[in-house]
């Protein structure tokens, strides 16, 4: 038996221009800000392969404490590409999906924060109501409301 088993997924990283706007958006969804600070120094550049870097981060946690999103704002080096408006069938990481109660209420609140529906809220069989939303800076997220019979 191997001892190299997966323990957990710690977080998903999202690079943004405005930490304040993105923190506010994810707080509206229900995540909580765990901490905010700078990551810099030679060790950090060795991890990422970017060399000398300076990054402001914010860690957001789900209410159950099991999942996190790490928001990063790169001060140095400058951001080199932008995938925020990629369509939902683009290659690479696409979105984070959140299970919610009252998807209609959640969508209404997020639209007031400047979010836009990518399509529409739809029902998948008798299991979920689902939608994709573009939040601040075009970040794509999914919302899924389990149906009552689940």
């Amino acid at each position: 038996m191997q001892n190299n088993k997966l323990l957990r997924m710690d977080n998903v990283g999202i690079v943004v221009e405005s930490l304040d706007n993105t923190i506010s958006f994810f707080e509206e969804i229900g995540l909580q800000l765990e901490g905010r600070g700078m990551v810099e120094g030679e060790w950090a550049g060795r991890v990422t392969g970017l060399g000398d870097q300076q990054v402001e981060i914010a860690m957001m946690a789900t209410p159950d404490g099991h999942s996190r999103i790490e928001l990063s704002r790169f001060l140095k080096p400058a951001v080199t590409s932008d995938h925020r408006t990629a369509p939902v069938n683009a290659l690479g990481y696409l979105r984070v999906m959140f299970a919610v109660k009252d998807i209609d209420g959640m969508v209404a609140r997020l639209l007031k924060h400047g979010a836009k529906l990518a399509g529409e809220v739809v029902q998948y069989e008798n299991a979920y109501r689902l939608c994709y939303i573009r939040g601040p800076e075009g970040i794509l997220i999914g919302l899924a409301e389990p149906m009552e019979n689940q």
Side-chain angles (χ1 to χ4, degrees):
M1 182 168 182
Q2 293 182 346
N3 289 330
N4 59 353
K5 66 177 183 171
L6 178 70
L7 298 177
R8 67 181 174 269
M9 185 184 86
D10 281 336
N11 65 65
V12 172
I14 302 174
V15 177
V16 299
E17 287 180 316
S18 171
L19 280 179
D20 292 332
N21 290 344
T22 311
I23 289 168
S24 176
F25 178 78
F26 282 113
E27 284 176 333
E28 186 66 35
I29 291 174
L31 278 75
Q32 300 156 349
L33 179 63
E34 279 191 329
R36 187 170 175 169
M38 296 298 293
V39 175
E40 56 192 330
E42 187 259 336
W43 72 270
R46 287 181 33 228
V47 171
T48 63
L50 294 175
D52 187 24
Q53 69 180 39
Q54 185 179 27
V55 184
E56 184 180 10
I57 67 162
M59 191 66 73
M60 308 285 302
T62 56
D64 65 6
H66 294 296
S67 302
R68 288 170 179 72
I69 293 178
E70 180 181 300
L71 304 173
S72 301
R73 183 174 72 93
F74 277 80
L75 304 171
K76 183 170 73 171
V79 173
T80 60
S81 62
D82 190 339
H83 305 281
R84 294 176 291 187
T85 59
V88 298
N89 62 343
L91 295 174
Y93 289 108
L94 176 62
R95 54 125 181 98
V96 176
M97 178 73 75
F98 295 101
V100 301
K101 289 185 181 179
D102 184 19
I103 195 170
D104 296 317
M106 176 71 71
V107 168
R109 288 197 332 266
L110 296 176
L111 292 176
K112 290 179 184 175
H113 275 266
K116 294 183 170 70
L117 277 167
E120 58 187 89
V121 178
V122 299
Q123 184 168 323
Y124 173 70
E125 298 181 351
N126 288 322
Y128 292 96
R129 294 186 66 227
L130 305 161
C131 70
Y132 283 179
I133 288 187
R134 290 221 181 252
E137 303 185 31
I139 295 169
L140 188 64
I141 64 161
L143 301 174
E145 178 182 13
M147 302 297 287
E148 290 298 322
N149 60 355
Q150 294 296 315

